């Protein structure tokens, strides 16, 4: 019993509701939401510390004993994800202060920002399949509103498709829950894991596993279900796109890793091989999309897809090293991708466009922005001293160990193509003849840069401090590869 | 009873698939609504229709109904109700902004 776990879920929800009362006072809203986000970050660190010292923490809502009541569970993986999402939550909030117009702020931007965080944290912490669905919905409904917020013609059109696709996936989530409830008679993930172990996973349980893979794959943008992502992330302002790019697909990936290391682990020859091939497709086709684009935001959106592939690759290889690599990769990706979207927002604020062909030579006027972007970009591509390298290195090492040479080849190829398209952005935006006019030269850069700096610092720290951080992700992987830890902690046997 | 329900759910799913694949915004929304009804019925059906007394403490009955699926469906219905309301508003705003409800005209690139 540890009531602290409720804070990351309940606090943003309550504060979000309070913020609705301050509809016309956007300064008050800013202050309250900033304080909440920072406090949540502190609590996220404290919860993970608690888990690290005392083992997996649970809280039973209403003191109903686990198989019957609702439980929130924090293991190291969930704690790490809550920390990462809180960091992105704080940073994107401060960037939103600089870039979101007051008209948008008045239309309940901050309340839904808080609801989104509540849903994301809830999805990470829940120990119950149906509550996973509910928190997914909380998160998605907030995201529907944030993605259409502002209501431009483009946003309305693409958001409609985004909403329909996600509602469709949610309905199939209910179908999956119906099947698994019909077969195991429970919804508590720990108890489902026990029952599936007794039933032996064949036939219909494999079908359910594929159904869940379909549902979470649609939310997490796995091949071939990623088609909705680039268009819908192009619409909203960069602060929101950074939040989405950092968090939303990772919730889908988190759900895949959680269910496929806890519940559907008894037939890895079928399920995990399938994930491996989907990962290869995701990486390859995602990066091909990125290479073909000439728009800052679209290139970044396609890169989300190709990098989700690396995380799925770690799960597909299904060994301690590979899963540790995937976890390291998730941490690296959330930080770097949010930073890149914020860079995109900063250049958009300066030049007024995200089209690569319409801007050039920003490096002369804004050198700091350019070089920091370069650091983040090569970190994404996986150049050694930065965080992208070590996570990919673990995955590739394990792939070679297991003799999966084709997949290793694809992931190396994708690394090169990633580097190519990041360099394309750098060359088009920052090199060449300066094209800035008039007041575009004198925009104050520091307010835009301040929120991005911590993220750039983090990616450097993750790279230079790879040794302790990698051993931490090995511990996380060890914990999630031993489902009995989780089951015993929840069911108290 | 289960067999009839399964056939009914099959029909609902196929009708909603047809509706989602049509060319009109409103029909897509109707399709989504139908599909969520089908999913809720499936949840109710798969948890079993065994006859029994209401699950009340203190009433001595030999067989009880399973109350959990009904609680789950209640939650799911509320969620799908909210999402449907949002979809209808979004569909209306899209229709007003683009002055068409044909899905094949709602495409193109960012620079209008």
């Amino acid at each position: 019993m540890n009531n602290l776990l409720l804070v990351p879920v309940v606090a943003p929800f309550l504060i979000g509701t309070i913020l609705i009362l301050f509809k016309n006072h956007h300064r008050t809203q800013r202050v309250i939401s900033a304080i909440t986000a920072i406090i949540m970050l502190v609590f996220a660190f404290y919860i993970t510390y608690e888990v690290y010292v005392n083992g997996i923490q649970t809280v039973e809502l209403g003191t109903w004993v686990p198989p019957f009541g609702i439980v929130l569970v924090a293991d190291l993986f969930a704690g790490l994800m809550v920390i990462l999402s809180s960091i992105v939550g704080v940073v994107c909030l401060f960037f939103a202060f600089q870039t979101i117009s007051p008209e948008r702020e008045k239309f309940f931007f901050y309340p839904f920002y808080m609801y989104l965080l509540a849903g994301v944290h809830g999805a990470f912490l829940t120990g119950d399949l149906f509550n996973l669905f509910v928190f997914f919905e909380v998160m998605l409904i907030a995201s529907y509103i944030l993605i259409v917020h502002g209501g431009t013609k483009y946003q309305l059109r693409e958001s409609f498709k985004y909403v329909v696709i996600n509602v469709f996936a949610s309905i199939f989530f209910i179908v999956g829950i119906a099947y698994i409830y019909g077969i195991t008679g429970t919804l508590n993930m720990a108890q489902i894991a026990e029952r599936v172990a007794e039933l032996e996973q064949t036939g219909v349980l494999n079908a359910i596993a594929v159904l869940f893979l379909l549902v979470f794959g649609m939310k997490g943008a796995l091949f071939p279900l990623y088609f909705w992502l680039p268009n819908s992330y192009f619409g909203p302002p960069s602060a929101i796109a950074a939040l989405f790019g950092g968090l939303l697909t990772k919730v889908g990936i988190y759900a895949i890793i959680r269910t496929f290391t806890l519940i559907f682990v008894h037939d890895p020859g079928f399920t995990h091989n399938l994930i491996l091939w989907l990962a290869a497709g995701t990486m390859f086709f995602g990066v091909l999309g990125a290479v073909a684009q000439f728009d800052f935001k679209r290139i970044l959106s396609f890169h989300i897809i190709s990098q989700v592939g690396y995380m799925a690759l770690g799960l597909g290889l299904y060994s301690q090293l590979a899963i540790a690599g995937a976890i390291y990769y998730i941490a690296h990706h959330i930080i770097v991708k949010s930073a890149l979207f914020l860079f995109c927002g900063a250049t958009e604020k300066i030049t007024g466009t995200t089209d690569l062909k319409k801007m050039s030579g920003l490096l002369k006027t804004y050198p700091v922005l350019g070089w920091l972007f370069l650091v983040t970009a090569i970190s994404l591509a996986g150049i050694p001293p930065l965080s992208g390298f070590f996570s990919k290195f673990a995955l590739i090492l394990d792939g070679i160990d297991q003799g999966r040479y084709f997949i290793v080849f694809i992931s190396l190829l994708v690394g090169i193509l990633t580097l190519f398209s990041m360099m394309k952005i750098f060359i088009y935006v920052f090199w060449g003849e300066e094209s800035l006019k008039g007041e575009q030269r004198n925009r104050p850069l520091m307010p835009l840069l301040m929120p991005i700096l911590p993220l750039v610092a983090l990616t450097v720290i993750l790279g230079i401090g790879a040794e302790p951080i990698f051993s931490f992700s090995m511990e996380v992987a060890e914990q999630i590869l031993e489902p009995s830890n989780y089951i015993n902690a929840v069911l108290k046997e | 009873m289960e067999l009839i329900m399964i056939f009914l759910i099959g029909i609902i799913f196929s009708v909603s698939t047809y509706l989602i694949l049509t060319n009109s915004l409103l029909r897509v929304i109707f399709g989504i609504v139908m599909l969520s009804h089908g999913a809720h019925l499936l949840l109710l059906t798969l948890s079993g229709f065994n006859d029994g007394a209401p699950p009340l403490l203190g009433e001595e009955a030999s067989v009880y109904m399973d109350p959990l699926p009904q609680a789950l469906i209640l939650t799911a219905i509320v969620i799908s109700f909210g999402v449907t309301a949002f979809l209808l508003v979004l569909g209306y705003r899209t229709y007003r902004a683009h002055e068409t409800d044909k899905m094949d005209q709602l495409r193109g690139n960012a620079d209008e």
Side-chain angles (χ1 to χ4, degrees), chain A residues 385-460:
Chain A
L386 296 160
S387 58
F389 171 73
F390 294 99
S391 40
K392 279 182 192 167
F393 183 64
L395 291 173
I396 286 165
L397 203 64
D398 195 71
I400 291 172
D401 269 358
Q402 295 192 21
R404 308 268 189 181
Y405 299 115
F406 182 68
I407 307 268
V408 170
F409 171 71
I410 290 217
S411 61
L412 289 171
L413 182 72
V414 169
I416 293 168
L417 289 174
T418 309
L419 186 63
F420 167 70
S421 55
M422 293 323 283
M423 285 306 108
K424 186 165 83 181
I425 296 181
F426 186 71
I427 288 167
Y428 270 91
V429 178
F430 295 105
W431 273 3
E433 287 298 309
E434 197 176 16
S435 69
L436 297 174
K437 297 176 215 62
E439 60 174 284
Q440 289 181 345
R441 288 169 188 279
N442 310 318
R443 299 228 192 235
L445 188 63
M446 268 334 266
L448 291 175
L449 217 51
M450 280 310 283
I452 314 179
L453 277 175
L455 293 179
V456 179
L458 265 177
T459 181
V460 175

Side-chain angles (χ1 to χ4, degrees), chain A residues 171-172 175, chain B residues 8-18 34-40 42:
Chain A
I171 291 168
F172 274 88
V175 172
Chain B
L8 179 67
I9 293 161
I11 292 167
I12 292 177
F13 268 51
S14 41
V15 169
S16 54
T17 310
Y18 170 75
M34 290 278 282
L35 195 66
S36 67
H37 288 326
H40 300 154
L42 189 72

Side-chain angles (χ1 to χ4, degrees), chain B:
Chain B
M1 187 66 181
E2 269 94 347
L3 203 63
I4 302 169
M5 289 295 282
I6 291 292
F7 275 115
L8 179 67
I9 293 161
I11 292 167
I12 292 177
F13 268 51
S14 41
V15 169
S16 54
T17 310
Y18 170 75
L19 282 172
I20 289 173
L21 293 176
T22 51
N23 197 11
S24 147
L25 272 180
L26 197 58
R27 285 191 191 201
V28 172
I29 297 173
F30 281 147
I32 289 284
V33 175
M34 290 278 282
L35 195 66
S36 67
H37 288 326
H40 300 154
L41 280 180
L42 189 72
L43 183 51
L44 195 66
T45 311
L46 278 178
S47 55
F49 282 129
N50 48 347
D51 296 320
L56 298 174
L57 287 174
E59 304 272 329
E60 302 301 325
S62 53
V63 191
Y64 289 112
M65 282 293 285
D66 183 0
L68 192 60
Q70 286 159 31
L72 300 183
I73 290 167
L74 195 60
T75 315
I77 285 174
V78 172
I79 289 172
S80 81
F81 174 70
V83 172
T84 308
F86 181 74
L87 258 176
L88 284 170
V89 174
L90 185 61
Y92 177 69
R93 283 292 307 273
T94 313
Y95 168 69
R96 288 299 297 269
H98 289 268
E99 287 168 353
T100 175
D101 72 333
K102 298 276 177 283
M103 288 306 279
D104 57 1
Q105 289 169 16
L106 290 172
R107 61 203 299 177
N109 50 22
D111 3 286
E112 305 283 333

Side-chain angles (χ1 to χ4, degrees), chain A residues 102-339:
Chain A
E103 292 81 46
R104 283 191 177 178
E105 282 181 312
K106 274 183 190 159
F107 275 91
F108 307 112
F109 175 76
Y110 297 114
F112 284 106
Y113 193 95
M114 288 289 139
Y115 291 152
L116 185 88
L117 285 182
V120 169
H121 290 164
F124 290 150
L125 289 173
T126 183
D128 180 304
L129 217 48
F130 193 77
N131 280 289
L132 184 62
F133 165 73
V134 173
F135 282 121
F136 258 98
E137 285 303 303
V138 171
M139 171 189 97
L140 285 171
I141 290 171
S143 81
Y144 300 156
I145 289 156
L146 287 180
I147 211 162
V148 78
H149 205 261
T152 62
K153 231 174 155 184
Y154 179 85
Q155 268 179 312
L156 284 169
R157 187 179 69 206
E158 295 304 331
S159 311
F160 187 80
K161 294 164 195 168
Y162 172 81
V163 175
V164 167
I165 287 160
N166 276 296
V167 172
F168 189 79
S170 300
I171 291 168
F172 274 88
F173 199 171
I174 301 183
V175 172
I177 287 171
Y179 282 141
I180 211 152
Y181 188 73
I183 286 167
T184 61
T186 177
L187 287 169
N188 186 299
M189 288 205 271
Q191 208 180 8
I192 293 174
E194 262 188 345
R195 299 245 168 111
V196 170
E198 285 164 22
L199 288 168
E200 296 195 348
Q201 186 192 339
T202 49
V204 70
L205 274 164
N206 271 342
I208 296 172
V210 173
L211 186 62
F212 275 112
L213 191 60
L214 177 91
V215 170
F216 297 142
M218 212 182 273
K219 316 256 186 206
L222 278 184
F223 172 78
L225 303 166
Y226 58 71
F227 50 86
W228 54 270
L229 190 143
N231 277 340
S232 42
Y233 282 17
F234 181 75
S238 289
I240 300 175
L243 186 72
F244 283 16
L247 296 183
L248 290 193
T249 49
K250 258 55 73 187
V251 180
I253 286 295
Y254 172 85
I256 292 177
I257 293 181
R258 177 62 79 210
T259 46
F260 283 84
T261 55
L262 183 65
I263 301 173
F264 306 112
V265 287
H266 305 286
D267 193 2
F270 173 68
T271 49
H272 290 72
N273 252 335
L274 184 66
I275 294 173
L276 202 60
W277 289 109
L278 291 182
T282 314
M283 287 189 289
F284 189 63
F285 291 104
V287 86
L288 281 193
V291 168
Q293 298 297 320
F294 272 96
D295 186 282
F296 205 145
K297 231 183 209 174
R298 270 183 213 272
I299 291 178
L300 295 181
S301 308
F302 272 103
H303 275 306
I304 297 177
I305 300 166
S306 84
Q307 275 127 25
V308 159
Y310 281 102
M311 301 163 201
L313 172 68
L315 178 62
L317 290 171
Y318 199 56
S319 71
Q320 195 185 348
L321 182 63
I323 295 212
I327 288 162
Y328 199 134
Y329 202 92
I330 292 176
H332 149 77
H333 177 85
I334 291 180
I335 288 164
V336 168
K337 184 53 75 179
S338 305

Side-chain angles (χ1 to χ4, degrees), chain A residues 9-69:
Chain A
V9 186
V10 176
F13 206 83
L14 282 180
I15 298 294
T17 313
I18 291 168
L19 285 177
I20 292 178
L21 303 175
F22 297 97
K23 179 174 185 279
N24 291 319
H25 305 83
H26 66 264
R27 279 176 206 287
T28 324
Q29 289 196 40
R30 282 182 182 186
V31 173
I32 296 177
S33 49
I35 292 171
T36 319
I38 290 168
I39 287 177
M40 260 188 331
L41 180 60
V42 175
F43 270 100
F45 273 107
Y46 187 66
I47 289 168
T48 314
Y49 172 74
E50 220 28 25
V51 175
Y52 191 73
V53 177
N54 299 326
I56 297 173
Q57 303 286 313
T58 62
V59 52
E60 296 114 30
L61 302 185
T63 60
W64 282 79
V65 271
F68 307 109

Side-chain angles (χ1 to χ4, degrees), chain A residues 46-95:
Chain A
Y46 187 66
I47 289 168
T48 314
Y49 172 74
E50 220 28 25
V51 175
Y52 191 73
V53 177
N54 299 326
I56 297 173
Q57 303 286 313
T58 62
V59 52
E60 296 114 30
L61 302 185
T63 60
W64 282 79
V65 271
F68 307 109
I70 295 168
V71 279
L72 294 183
V73 190
D75 60 354
L76 283 175
F77 186 31
L80 180 69
M81 295 303 282
V82 173
I83 290 181
L84 290 167
S85 66
S86 306
I87 292 174
V88 174
V90 173
V91 170
C92 292
L93 193 65
F94 277 94
F95 195 77

